[in-house]
Amino acid sequence: MTETATENVGKILAYDEDGYEICVGDHVVHNRKLYRVQKLKHETSGDGLYRETVYLELIHLKTLRIKIVEDCDVALVE
């Protein structure tokens, strides 16, 4: 099951590799490139173990290419 932040506002929490909270519109670094967070996606496993993963939809600021990564793979730019 996958939810997006627009469908379930306020219930998807994402944190970067240092534990800082990430919101839509924040700027993050992934592989030494600067991105803006477009969307948060929350996914839970259906195997009964209830593992959950938060994915970020990122847009590169220069090329405007979209990339989807896990929240723990980025660093928040302050």
Side-chain angles (χ1 to χ4, degrees):
M1 178 178 159
T2 303
E3 293 179 313
T4 63
T6 54
E7 296 168 357
N8 203 349
V9 177
K11 295 191 179 185
I12 298 175
L13 300 176
Y15 297 96
D16 74 346
E17 59 189 20
D18 297 323
Y20 295 108
E21 188 174 337
I22 299 172
C23 300
V24 173
D26 285 344
H27 289 88
V28 295
V29 174
H30 177 68
N31 290 340
R32 296 181 290 165
K33 294 181 182 173
L34 187 61
Y35 294 91
R36 186 178 66 237
V37 179
Q38 290 285 101
K39 194 182 298 184
L40 303 174
K41 297 180 181 181
H42 180 259
E43 187 173 286
T44 56
S45 65
D47 59 3
L49 298 176
Y50 194 71
R51 292 180 298 238
E52 57 183 59
T53 307
V54 176
Y55 293 99
L56 306 175
E57 183 178 299
L58 307 176
I59 186 166
H60 191 269
L61 294 180
K62 288 185 180 179
T63 64
L64 303 179
R65 291 188 180 169
I66 294 177
K67 181 181 247 187
I68 297 177
V69 297
E70 286 189 42
D71 60 343
C72 61
D73 292 339
V74 300
L76 186 64
V77 176
E78 296 180 25

